[in-house]
Structures are given as structure tokens and as C-alpha cells.
Coordinates of all heavy atoms in Angstrom, one line a residue:
M1 N 128.0 -43.9 39.1 CA 126.6 -43.4 38.8 C 126.1 -44.2 37.7 O 126.8 -44.3 36.6 CB 126.6 -42.0 38.6 CG 125.3 -41.3 38.2 SD 125.2 -39.6 37.8 CE 126.3 -38.9 39.0
L2 N 124.9 -44.7 37.8 CA 124.4 -45.4 36.6 C 123.5 -44.5 35.8 O 122.8 -43.6 36.3 CB 123.5 -46.6 37.1 CG 124.1 -47.7 37.8 CD1 123.1 -48.7 38.4 CD2 125.0 -48.4 36.8
I3 N 123.6 -44.6 34.4 CA 122.7 -43.8 33.4 C 121.6 -44.7 33.2 O 121.7 -45.9 32.7 CB 123.5 -43.5 32.2 CG1 124.8 -42.6 32.6 CG2 122.6 -42.8 31.3 CD1 125.6 -42.4 31.4
S4 N 120.3 -44.3 33.6 CA 119.1 -45.0 33.2 C 119.0 -45.0 31.7 O 119.2 -44.0 31.0 CB 118.0 -44.4 33.9 OG 117.8 -43.1 33.5
L5 N 118.5 -46.2 31.3 CA 118.2 -46.3 29.9 C 116.7 -45.9 29.6 O 115.9 -46.3 30.4 CB 118.4 -47.8 29.4 CG 119.8 -48.4 29.6 CD1 119.8 -49.8 29.1 CD2 120.8 -47.6 28.7
I6 N 116.6 -45.2 28.6 CA 115.4 -44.6 28.3 C 114.7 -45.2 26.9 O 115.6 -45.0 25.9 CB 115.3 -43.1 28.2 CG1 115.9 -42.4 29.5 CG2 114.0 -42.5 27.9 CD1 116.1 -40.9 29.3
K7 N 113.8 -45.9 27.0 CA 113.1 -46.4 25.7 C 111.9 -45.6 25.4 O 111.0 -45.6 26.1 CB 112.9 -47.8 25.8 CG 112.3 -48.5 24.7 CD 113.3 -48.6 23.5 CE 112.7 -49.2 22.3 NZ 113.2 -48.8 21.0
M8 N 111.9 -45.0 24.2 CA 110.9 -44.2 23.7 C 110.1 -45.0 22.8 O 110.5 -45.9 22.0 CB 111.3 -43.0 23.0 CG 112.3 -42.2 23.7 SD 111.4 -41.2 25.0 CE 112.9 -40.5 25.9
D9 N 108.8 -44.9 22.8 CA 107.8 -45.5 21.8 C 107.7 -44.5 20.7 O 106.8 -43.7 20.6 CB 106.5 -45.7 22.5 CG 106.8 -47.0 23.4 OD1 107.4 -47.8 23.2 OD2 105.8 -46.8 24.5
I10 N 108.7 -44.6 19.8 CA 108.6 -43.6 18.6 C 108.7 -44.6 17.4 O 109.7 -45.5 17.3 CB 109.9 -42.7 18.7 CG1 109.7 -41.9 19.9 CG2 110.0 -41.9 17.5 CD1 110.9 -41.1 20.2
D11 N 107.8 -44.2 16.4 CA 107.9 -45.0 15.1 C 108.7 -44.2 14.1 O 108.4 -43.2 13.4 CB 106.5 -45.0 14.6 CG 106.4 -45.9 13.3 OD1 107.4 -46.4 13.0 OD2 105.3 -46.0 12.8
V12 N 110.1 -44.5 14.2 CA 111.0 -43.7 13.3 C 110.7 -43.7 11.9 O 110.9 -42.8 11.2 CB 112.5 -44.3 13.6 CG1 113.4 -43.7 12.6 CG2 112.9 -44.3 15.0
A13 N 110.1 -44.9 11.4 CA 109.8 -44.9 10.0 C 108.7 -44.0 9.5 O 108.7 -43.6 8.4 CB 109.3 -46.5 9.7
S14 N 107.9 -43.7 10.5 CA 106.7 -42.8 10.1 C 107.0 -41.4 10.3 O 106.2 -40.6 9.9 CB 105.5 -43.1 10.8 OG 105.6 -42.8 12.1
E15 N 108.1 -41.0 10.9 CA 108.5 -39.6 11.1 C 109.8 -39.3 10.3 O 110.6 -40.2 10.0 CB 108.7 -39.3 12.5 CG 107.5 -39.5 13.3 CD 107.5 -39.2 14.7 OE1 108.6 -39.1 15.3 OE2 106.5 -39.1 15.5
T16 N 110.0 -38.0 10.1 CA 111.4 -37.7 9.7 C 112.4 -37.6 10.7 O 112.1 -37.7 11.9 CB 111.4 -36.2 9.0 OG1 111.1 -35.3 10.3 CG2 110.3 -35.9 8.0
I17 N 113.7 -37.7 10.4 CA 114.8 -37.8 11.4 C 114.7 -36.5 12.3 O 114.7 -36.5 13.5 CB 116.1 -37.8 10.7 CG1 116.3 -39.2 10.0 CG2 117.2 -37.4 11.7 CD1 117.7 -39.1 9.1
E18 N 114.3 -35.3 11.7 CA 114.2 -34.1 12.5 C 113.1 -34.3 13.5 O 113.2 -33.9 14.6 CB 113.9 -33.0 11.5 CG 113.7 -31.7 12.3 CD 113.5 -30.5 11.2 OE1 114.0 -30.4 10.3 OE2 112.6 -29.6 11.6
E19 N 112.0 -34.8 13.1 CA 110.7 -34.9 14.1 C 111.2 -35.9 15.0 O 110.9 -35.6 16.3 CB 109.5 -35.3 13.3 CG 109.0 -34.4 12.3 CD 107.9 -35.0 11.5 OE1 108.0 -36.2 11.2 OE2 107.0 -34.2 11.0
T20 N 111.8 -37.0 14.7 CA 112.2 -38.0 15.8 C 113.2 -37.4 16.8 O 113.1 -37.7 18.0 CB 112.8 -39.3 15.0 OG1 111.7 -39.7 14.1 CG2 113.0 -40.4 16.1
V21 N 114.2 -36.8 16.3 CA 115.2 -36.2 17.1 C 114.5 -35.2 18.1 O 114.8 -35.2 19.3 CB 116.4 -35.7 16.4 CG1 117.3 -34.9 17.2 CG2 117.2 -36.8 15.7
I22 N 113.8 -34.3 17.6 CA 113.1 -33.3 18.4 C 112.3 -33.9 19.5 O 112.3 -33.5 20.6 CB 112.4 -32.3 17.6 CG1 113.3 -31.4 16.8 CG2 111.3 -31.5 18.5 CD1 112.7 -30.4 15.8
Q23 N 111.5 -35.1 19.1 CA 110.6 -35.7 20.1 C 111.5 -36.4 21.1 O 111.2 -36.3 22.3 CB 109.8 -36.7 19.3 CG 108.8 -37.4 20.3 CD 107.9 -38.4 19.5 OE1 108.0 -38.6 18.3 NE2 107.1 -39.1 20.2
I24 N 112.6 -37.1 20.7 CA 113.5 -37.7 21.7 C 114.0 -36.7 22.7 O 114.0 -37.0 23.9 CB 114.5 -38.5 20.9 CG1 114.0 -39.8 20.3 CG2 115.7 -38.9 21.9 CD1 114.9 -40.5 19.4
I25 N 114.5 -35.7 22.2 CA 115.2 -34.6 23.1 C 114.1 -34.0 24.0 O 114.4 -33.9 25.2 CB 115.9 -33.5 22.2 CG1 117.2 -34.2 21.5 CG2 116.3 -32.4 23.1 CD1 117.9 -33.3 20.5
S26 N 113.0 -33.7 23.5 CA 111.8 -33.2 24.3 C 111.5 -34.1 25.3 O 111.3 -33.6 26.5 CB 110.7 -32.8 23.3 OG 109.6 -32.5 24.1
Q27 N 111.3 -35.4 25.1 CA 110.9 -36.3 26.1 C 112.1 -36.6 27.1 O 111.7 -36.7 28.2 CB 110.4 -37.6 25.5 CG 109.1 -37.6 24.8 CD 108.8 -38.8 24.0 OE1 109.5 -39.8 24.1 NE2 107.7 -38.9 23.3
T28 N 113.3 -36.7 26.6 CA 114.3 -36.9 27.5 C 114.6 -35.8 28.5 O 114.8 -36.0 29.7 CB 115.7 -37.2 26.7 OG1 115.5 -38.3 25.8 CG2 116.9 -37.4 27.6
L29 N 114.5 -34.5 28.0 CA 114.7 -33.4 28.9 C 113.4 -32.8 29.7 O 113.5 -32.1 30.4 CB 115.2 -32.2 28.0 CG 116.5 -32.4 27.3 CD1 116.8 -31.0 26.4 CD2 117.7 -32.7 28.2
D30 N 112.2 -33.5 29.1 CA 111.0 -33.2 29.8 C 110.6 -31.8 29.5 O 110.3 -31.1 30.4 CB 111.0 -33.7 31.2 CG 109.4 -33.6 31.7 OD1 108.5 -33.7 30.9 OD2 109.3 -33.3 33.0
V31 N 111.0 -31.2 28.2 CA 110.7 -29.9 27.9 C 109.8 -29.9 26.7 O 110.0 -30.6 25.6 CB 112.0 -29.1 27.6 CG1 111.9 -27.7 27.0 CG2 113.0 -29.2 28.8
S32 N 108.6 -29.2 26.7 CA 107.8 -29.3 25.6 C 108.1 -28.4 24.4 O 107.8 -28.8 23.2 CB 106.4 -28.9 26.1 OG 106.5 -27.5 26.6
E33 N 108.9 -27.4 24.6 CA 109.3 -26.3 23.5 C 110.8 -26.6 23.2 O 111.6 -25.9 23.5 CB 109.1 -24.9 24.0 CG 107.8 -24.6 24.3 CD 106.8 -24.7 23.1 OE1 107.3 -24.2 21.9 OE2 105.6 -25.0 23.3
I34 N 110.9 -27.6 22.3 CA 112.2 -27.8 21.7 C 112.2 -27.6 20.2 O 111.3 -28.0 19.5 CB 112.6 -29.4 21.9 CG1 112.9 -29.7 23.4 CG2 113.9 -29.7 21.0 CD1 114.1 -29.0 24.0
T35 N 113.2 -26.7 19.7 CA 113.2 -26.4 18.4 C 114.6 -26.7 17.8 O 115.5 -27.1 18.6 CB 113.0 -24.8 18.2 OG1 114.1 -24.2 18.9 CG2 111.7 -24.5 18.8
L36 N 114.8 -26.5 16.6 CA 116.3 -26.6 16.1 C 117.3 -25.9 16.7 O 118.3 -26.2 16.8 CB 116.2 -26.3 14.5 CG 115.5 -27.2 13.6 CD1 115.4 -26.8 12.3 CD2 116.0 -28.6 13.6
E37 N 116.7 -24.7 17.2 CA 117.8 -23.7 17.9 C 118.1 -24.1 19.3 O 118.9 -23.5 20.0 CB 117.2 -22.3 17.8 CG 117.3 -21.7 16.4 CD 116.1 -22.2 15.5 OE1 115.0 -22.6 16.1 OE2 116.3 -22.3 14.3
S38 N 117.4 -25.0 19.8 CA 117.5 -25.4 21.3 C 118.9 -26.0 21.4 O 119.3 -26.7 20.6 CB 116.5 -26.4 21.8 OG 115.2 -25.9 21.7
S39 N 119.6 -25.5 22.5 CA 120.9 -26.1 22.7 C 121.3 -26.2 24.1 O 120.5 -25.8 25.1 CB 121.9 -24.9 22.0 OG 122.0 -23.8 22.8
I40 N 122.5 -26.7 24.4 CA 123.0 -26.8 25.7 C 123.0 -25.4 26.4 O 122.7 -25.2 27.5 CB 124.4 -27.3 25.7 CG1 124.4 -28.8 25.3 CG2 125.2 -27.2 27.0 CD1 125.8 -29.5 25.0
Q41 N 123.3 -24.3 25.7 CA 123.5 -23.0 26.2 C 122.1 -22.3 26.5 O 122.1 -21.5 27.4 CB 124.3 -22.1 25.1 CG 125.6 -22.3 25.1 CD 125.9 -23.5 24.1 OE1 125.1 -23.9 23.3 NE2 127.1 -24.1 24.2
N42 N 121.2 -22.7 25.8 CA 119.8 -21.9 26.1 C 118.6 -22.9 26.7 O 117.6 -22.5 26.7 CB 119.4 -21.2 24.8 CG 119.0 -22.2 23.7 OD1 118.8 -23.4 23.9 ND2 118.9 -21.7 22.5
T43 N 119.0 -24.1 27.0 CA 118.1 -25.2 27.6 C 118.6 -25.6 28.9 O 119.5 -26.4 29.0 CB 117.8 -26.2 26.6 OG1 117.5 -25.8 25.4 CG2 116.7 -27.1 27.1
M44 N 118.0 -25.0 30.0 CA 118.5 -25.2 31.4 C 118.6 -26.8 31.7 O 119.5 -27.1 32.3 CB 117.6 -24.5 32.3 CG 118.2 -24.5 33.7 SD 117.4 -23.5 34.9 CE 115.7 -24.2 34.8
E45 N 117.7 -27.5 31.2 CA 117.5 -29.0 31.5 C 118.5 -29.8 30.7 O 118.8 -30.9 31.1 CB 116.1 -29.5 31.2 CG 115.0 -28.9 32.0 CD 114.6 -27.6 31.4 OE1 115.0 -27.1 30.4 OE2 113.7 -27.0 32.1
W46 N 119.2 -29.2 29.8 CA 120.1 -29.9 29.0 C 121.5 -29.9 29.6 O 122.4 -29.1 29.4 CB 120.3 -29.3 27.6 CG 121.0 -30.1 26.5 CD1 121.9 -31.1 26.7 CD2 120.6 -30.1 25.1 NE1 122.3 -31.6 25.6 CE2 121.6 -30.9 24.4 CE3 119.8 -29.2 24.4 CZ2 121.7 -31.1 23.2 CZ3 119.9 -29.4 23.0 CH2 120.8 -30.3 22.4
D47 N 121.8 -30.7 30.6 CA 123.1 -30.9 31.3 C 123.9 -32.0 30.7 O 123.6 -32.7 29.8 CB 123.0 -30.9 32.7 CG 122.1 -32.2 33.2 OD1 121.8 -33.1 32.4 OD2 121.6 -32.2 34.3
S48 N 125.0 -32.4 31.3 CA 125.9 -33.4 30.7 C 125.4 -34.7 30.9 O 125.5 -35.6 30.0 CB 127.4 -33.4 31.4 OG 127.2 -33.5 32.7
L49 N 124.6 -35.0 32.0 CA 123.9 -36.2 32.2 C 122.9 -36.5 31.1 O 122.7 -37.5 30.4 CB 123.4 -36.4 33.6 CG 122.7 -37.7 33.8 CD1 123.6 -38.9 33.6 CD2 122.2 -37.8 35.3
N50 N 122.0 -35.5 30.9 CA 121.0 -35.5 30.0 C 121.5 -35.6 28.5 O 120.8 -36.2 27.6 CB 119.9 -34.5 30.0 CG 118.9 -34.7 31.2 OD1 118.7 -35.7 31.4 ND2 118.5 -33.5 31.8
H51 N 122.6 -35.0 28.2 CA 123.3 -35.1 26.9 C 123.7 -36.7 26.7 O 123.4 -37.1 25.6 CB 124.7 -34.3 27.0 CG 125.2 -34.2 25.6 ND1 124.7 -33.3 24.8 CD2 126.3 -34.6 25.0 CE1 125.5 -33.2 23.6 NE2 126.3 -34.1 23.7
L52 N 124.1 -37.3 27.6 CA 124.4 -38.8 27.5 C 123.1 -39.6 27.4 O 123.1 -40.5 26.6 CB 125.2 -39.2 28.7 CG 126.6 -38.7 29.0 CD1 127.3 -39.2 30.1 CD2 127.4 -39.1 27.7
R53 N 122.0 -39.1 28.0 CA 120.8 -39.8 27.9 C 120.2 -39.7 26.4 O 119.8 -40.7 25.8 CB 119.8 -39.3 28.8 CG 120.1 -39.8 30.3 CD 119.1 -39.3 31.3 NE 119.2 -39.9 32.7 CZ 119.1 -39.3 33.8 NH1 118.7 -37.9 33.7 NH2 119.3 -39.8 34.9
I54 N 120.4 -38.4 26.0 CA 120.0 -38.2 24.6 C 120.7 -39.1 23.6 O 120.2 -39.8 22.6 CB 120.1 -36.8 24.2 CG1 119.1 -35.7 25.0 CG2 119.8 -36.5 22.7 CD1 119.5 -34.3 24.9
L55 N 122.0 -39.1 23.8 CA 122.9 -40.0 23.0 C 122.3 -41.5 23.0 O 122.3 -42.0 22.1 CB 124.3 -39.9 23.5 CG 125.3 -41.1 23.0 CD1 125.5 -40.8 21.5 CD2 126.6 -40.9 23.7
N56 N 122.1 -42.0 24.3 CA 121.7 -43.3 24.4 C 120.5 -43.6 23.8 O 120.3 -44.6 22.9 CB 121.6 -43.6 25.9 CG 121.1 -45.0 26.2 OD1 120.0 -45.4 26.0 ND2 122.1 -45.8 26.7
V57 N 119.5 -42.9 23.8 CA 118.2 -43.0 23.1 C 118.3 -42.9 21.6 O 117.9 -43.7 20.8 CB 117.1 -42.0 23.6 CG1 115.8 -42.2 22.9 CG2 117.0 -42.1 25.1
L58 N 119.0 -42.0 21.0 CA 119.3 -41.7 19.7 C 120.0 -43.1 19.1 O 119.6 -43.6 18.1 CB 120.2 -40.4 19.3 CG 119.3 -39.1 19.6 CD1 120.3 -38.0 19.4 CD2 118.2 -39.0 18.6
E59 N 121.1 -43.5 19.8 CA 121.7 -44.6 19.2 C 120.8 -45.9 19.3 O 121.0 -46.7 18.3 CB 123.1 -44.9 20.2 CG 124.1 -44.0 19.8 CD 125.4 -44.3 20.6 OE1 125.3 -44.9 21.8 OE2 126.5 -43.9 20.1
T60 N 119.9 -46.0 20.3 CA 119.1 -47.1 20.3 C 118.0 -47.0 19.2 O 117.8 -48.0 18.4 CB 118.4 -47.1 21.6 OG1 119.4 -47.3 22.7 CG2 117.5 -48.3 21.7
E61 N 117.4 -45.8 19.0 CA 116.3 -45.6 18.0 C 116.9 -45.7 16.6 O 116.1 -46.2 15.8 CB 115.7 -44.3 18.3 CG 114.8 -44.2 19.5 CD 113.6 -45.2 19.6 OE1 113.1 -45.4 18.5 OE2 113.3 -45.6 20.7
F62 N 118.1 -45.2 16.4 CA 118.6 -45.2 15.0 C 119.5 -46.3 14.8 O 120.2 -46.4 13.7 CB 119.2 -43.9 14.6 CG 118.1 -42.8 14.5 CD1 117.8 -41.9 15.6 CD2 117.5 -42.6 13.4 CE1 116.8 -40.9 15.4 CE2 116.5 -41.6 13.2 CZ 116.2 -40.7 14.3
N63 N 119.7 -47.3 15.7 CA 120.5 -48.4 15.5 C 122.0 -48.0 15.1 O 122.5 -48.6 14.0 CB 119.9 -49.4 14.8 CG 120.6 -50.7 14.9 OD1 121.2 -51.1 15.9 ND2 120.6 -51.6 13.8
C64 N 122.7 -47.1 15.8 CA 123.9 -46.7 15.3 C 124.9 -46.5 16.7 O 124.3 -46.5 17.7 CB 124.1 -45.4 14.5 SG 123.3 -44.1 15.3
T65 N 126.1 -46.4 16.4 CA 127.1 -46.1 17.4 C 127.9 -44.9 17.0 O 128.6 -45.1 16.0 CB 128.1 -47.2 17.9 OG1 127.1 -48.4 18.2 CG2 128.9 -46.8 19.0
M66 N 127.9 -43.7 17.7 CA 128.4 -42.6 17.3 C 129.9 -42.4 17.9 O 130.1 -43.0 18.9 CB 127.7 -41.4 17.8 CG 126.3 -41.3 16.9 SD 125.3 -40.0 17.6 CE 123.8 -40.8 17.8
K67 N 130.8 -41.8 17.2 CA 132.1 -41.7 17.8 C 132.3 -40.5 18.7 O 131.6 -39.6 18.6 CB 132.9 -41.2 16.5 CG 133.1 -42.4 15.4 CD 133.9 -41.9 14.3 CE 133.9 -43.0 13.3 NZ 134.5 -42.7 12.0
L68 N 133.1 -40.7 19.7 CA 133.2 -39.8 20.8 C 133.6 -38.3 20.3 O 133.1 -37.4 20.7 CB 134.3 -40.2 21.8 CG 134.6 -39.3 22.9 CD1 133.3 -39.2 23.8 CD2 135.8 -39.9 23.8
E69 N 134.5 -38.3 19.3 CA 134.9 -36.9 18.8 C 133.6 -36.3 18.3 O 133.5 -35.0 18.5 CB 135.9 -37.1 17.6 CG 137.2 -37.9 18.1 CD 137.0 -39.3 18.0 OE1 136.3 -39.9 17.1 OE2 137.7 -39.9 18.9
E70 N 132.7 -36.9 17.6 CA 131.4 -36.3 16.9 C 130.4 -35.9 18.2 O 130.0 -34.8 18.1 CB 130.9 -37.2 16.0 CG 131.7 -37.5 14.8 CD 131.1 -38.7 14.0 OE1 130.5 -39.8 14.6 OE2 131.2 -38.7 12.8
I71 N 130.4 -36.7 19.1 CA 129.5 -36.5 20.2 C 129.9 -35.3 20.9 O 129.1 -34.5 21.3 CB 129.4 -37.8 21.1 CG1 128.8 -38.9 20.3 CG2 128.5 -37.5 22.3 CD1 129.1 -40.2 21.0
S72 N 131.2 -35.1 21.2 CA 131.7 -34.1 22.0 C 131.5 -32.7 21.3 O 131.4 -31.7 22.0 CB 133.1 -34.2 22.3 OG 134.0 -34.2 21.1
E73 N 131.3 -32.6 19.9 CA 131.0 -31.5 19.2 C 129.5 -31.0 19.1 O 129.2 -30.0 18.8 CB 131.6 -31.6 17.9 CG 133.1 -31.7 17.8 CD 133.5 -31.9 16.4 OE1 132.9 -31.9 15.4 OE2 134.8 -32.2 16.2
V74 N 128.6 -32.0 19.5 CA 127.2 -31.6 19.4 C 126.8 -30.6 20.6 O 127.1 -30.8 21.8 CB 126.4 -32.9 19.6 CG1 124.9 -32.6 19.8 CG2 126.7 -33.9 18.6
Q75 N 126.3 -29.4 20.1 CA 125.8 -28.4 21.1 C 124.3 -28.1 20.9 O 123.8 -27.3 21.8 CB 126.7 -27.1 20.8 CG 128.1 -27.4 20.9 CD 128.5 -27.5 22.5 OE1 128.0 -26.6 23.3 NE2 129.1 -28.5 22.9
S76 N 123.7 -28.6 19.8 CA 122.3 -28.2 19.7 C 121.4 -29.3 18.9 O 121.9 -30.3 18.6 CB 122.3 -27.0 18.7 OG 122.7 -27.4 17.5
V77 N 120.1 -29.0 18.9 CA 119.3 -30.0 18.4 C 119.6 -30.2 16.9 O 119.8 -31.4 16.4 CB 117.8 -29.6 18.4 CG1 116.9 -30.5 17.5 CG2 117.4 -29.6 19.9
K78 N 120.0 -29.2 16.2 CA 120.4 -29.2 14.9 C 121.7 -30.1 14.6 O 121.7 -30.9 13.7 CB 120.6 -27.8 14.2 CG 121.1 -27.8 12.8 CD 120.9 -26.6 12.1 CE 121.2 -26.6 10.5 NZ 121.8 -27.8 10.0
D79 N 122.5 -29.9 15.5 CA 123.8 -30.8 15.5 C 123.4 -32.3 15.7 O 124.0 -33.0 14.9 CB 124.7 -30.4 16.7 CG 125.4 -29.0 16.4 OD1 125.3 -28.5 15.3 OD2 125.9 -28.5 17.6
W80 N 122.5 -32.6 16.5 CA 122.1 -34.1 16.6 C 121.5 -34.6 15.4 O 121.7 -35.6 15.0 CB 121.1 -34.2 17.8 CG 121.7 -34.2 19.1 CD1 121.3 -33.5 20.1 CD2 122.6 -35.3 19.7 NE1 122.1 -33.9 21.3 CE2 122.9 -35.0 21.0 CE3 123.3 -36.4 19.0 CZ2 123.8 -35.8 21.8 CZ3 124.1 -37.1 19.8 CH2 124.3 -36.9 21.1
I81 N 120.6 -33.6 14.8 CA 120.1 -34.1 13.5 C 121.0 -34.2 12.4 O 120.9 -35.3 11.6 CB 118.9 -33.0 13.0 CG1 117.8 -32.9 14.1 CG2 118.5 -33.2 11.7 CD1 116.8 -31.9 14.1
D82 N 121.9 -33.3 12.3 CA 123.1 -33.5 11.3 C 123.8 -34.8 11.4 O 124.1 -35.5 10.5 CB 123.8 -32.3 11.3 CG 123.3 -31.0 10.8 OD1 122.2 -31.2 10.1 OD2 123.8 -29.8 11.0
L83 N 124.2 -35.1 12.7 CA 125.0 -36.2 13.0 C 124.0 -37.7 12.7 O 124.7 -38.4 12.1 CB 125.4 -36.3 14.5 CG 126.3 -37.3 14.9 CD1 127.6 -37.4 14.0 CD2 126.7 -37.1 16.3
I84 N 122.9 -37.6 13.2 CA 122.1 -38.8 12.9 C 121.8 -38.9 11.3 O 121.9 -40.0 10.9 CB 120.6 -38.6 13.5 CG1 120.9 -38.8 15.2 CG2 119.7 -39.7 13.2 CD1 121.3 -40.2 15.5
S85 N 121.6 -37.9 10.6 CA 121.5 -37.9 9.3 C 122.6 -38.6 8.6 O 122.6 -39.2 7.6 CB 121.2 -36.6 8.7 OG 120.0 -36.1 9.2
K86 N 123.9 -38.2 9.1 CA 125.0 -38.8 8.5 C 125.2 -40.2 8.7 O 125.4 -41.1 7.8 CB 126.4 -38.1 9.2 CG 127.6 -38.8 8.9 CD 128.8 -38.2 9.6 CE 129.9 -39.2 9.5 NZ 131.0 -38.9 10.4
Y87 N 124.9 -40.8 9.9 CA 124.8 -42.2 10.2 C 123.6 -42.8 9.4 O 123.9 -44.0 9.0 CB 124.7 -42.4 11.8 CG 126.0 -42.3 12.4 CD1 126.4 -41.1 13.0 CD2 126.9 -43.3 12.5 CE1 127.6 -40.9 13.6 CE2 128.2 -43.2 13.1 CZ 128.6 -42.0 13.7 OH 129.7 -42.0 14.1
N88 N 122.5 -42.2 9.4 CA 121.5 -42.8 8.6 C 121.8 -43.0 7.1 O 121.3 -44.0 6.4 CB 120.2 -41.8 8.7 CG 119.0 -42.6 8.4 OD1 118.6 -43.7 8.8 ND2 118.1 -41.9 7.6
E89 N 122.6 -42.2 6.5 CA 123.0 -42.3 5.2 C 123.9 -43.5 4.9 O 124.0 -44.1 3.9 CB 123.6 -41.0 4.6 CG 122.7 -39.9 4.4 CD 123.4 -38.5 4.1 OE1 124.7 -38.5 4.1 OE2 122.8 -37.4 4.1
E90 N 124.7 -43.7 5.9 CA 125.7 -44.7 5.9 C 125.1 -46.2 6.0 O 125.7 -47.1 5.7 CB 126.8 -44.8 7.1 CG 127.6 -43.6 6.9 CD 128.6 -43.3 8.0 OE1 128.5 -44.0 8.9 OE2 129.4 -42.2 8.0
L91 N 123.8 -46.2 6.4 CA 123.2 -47.6 6.6 C 122.7 -48.1 5.2 O 122.4 -47.5 4.3 CB 121.9 -47.5 7.5 CG 122.3 -47.2 9.0 CD1 121.0 -46.9 9.7 CD2 123.1 -48.0 9.6

């Protein structure tokens, strides 16, 4: 099965990491109401395939490669923001 690559038109420089991550997840899942509390458990559209799509877009937009151990622990929007913030600090 091929995972389609999703390229978002997001200006990362003009938005905070939080705003950008929420926008990416919202667009990837095609869900308008995404909050910090949105998670795999409470967002029906957030399945394993969409989890990988979110990962792909975040790595592309933030120009990073995340570790498998870290990715497997991500369960919510807040987790994604924390992880991206960590990588953003390392740049």
C-alpha cells in the first residue's frame, strides 16, 4: 500500500508551531475542530494510516526526521507539538 504524500501550503515562519501542527492535523484528517486535546482515542478519523500521513507532512514542513520510538508514543495533538518543538530547538 502506498502512502500518498500530502503537501500543505503552510507558512511555518508566520505561525507558531502549535498553530501549524493543528492546521496540518486538521487538513490531513479533514476535521475542522482540532484542539490540543484531540487524540487517537477521541478523533474517529485519526487512524494508523492518517497517523503516518501526519508524520509525513510534519517532517516535510519542519524539515526533520523523527525517531520511531518517539513517533510510537504520540497519541495527541499536544504530543505532536511537544515532539516538533523538541526538534525545532535542535535546529
Side-chain angles (χ1 to χ4, degrees):
M1 178 185 317
L2 293 175
I3 298 175
S4 63
L5 299 178
I6 302 170
K7 179 63 179 156
M8 308 282 175
D9 291 323
I10 297 171
D11 185 4
V12 176
S14 70
E15 297 183 348
T16 66
I17 290 173
E18 180 178 318
E19 291 169 332
T20 303
V21 170
I22 288 173
Q23 183 178 2
I24 287 169
I25 293 172
S26 176
Q27 289 178 1
T28 302
L29 299 179
D30 195 25
V31 175
S32 59
E33 295 295 321
I34 293 292
T35 67
L36 290 175
E37 292 77 32
S38 298
S39 70
I40 291 172
Q41 290 79 21
N42 64 20
T43 308
M44 187 170 58
E45 297 81 3
W46 194 335
D47 58 18
S48 58
L49 181 57
N50 279 330
H51 194 75
L52 294 175
R53 288 182 174 140
I54 293 167
L55 167 67
N56 180 284
V57 177
L58 290 173
E59 285 184 332
T60 301
E61 290 296 328
F62 289 97
N63 194 28
C64 64
T65 303
M66 296 176 227
K67 297 177 183 168
L68 180 59
E69 301 82 33
E70 296 169 325
I71 297 163
S72 64
E73 294 176 7
V74 172
Q75 298 289 310
S76 68
V77 172
K78 180 158 180 2
D79 292 343
W80 277 122
I81 292 167
D82 292 344
L83 186 56
I84 290 294
S85 296
K86 174 189 165 197
Y87 279 92
N88 198 44
E89 289 172 2
E90 293 175 2
L91 295 178

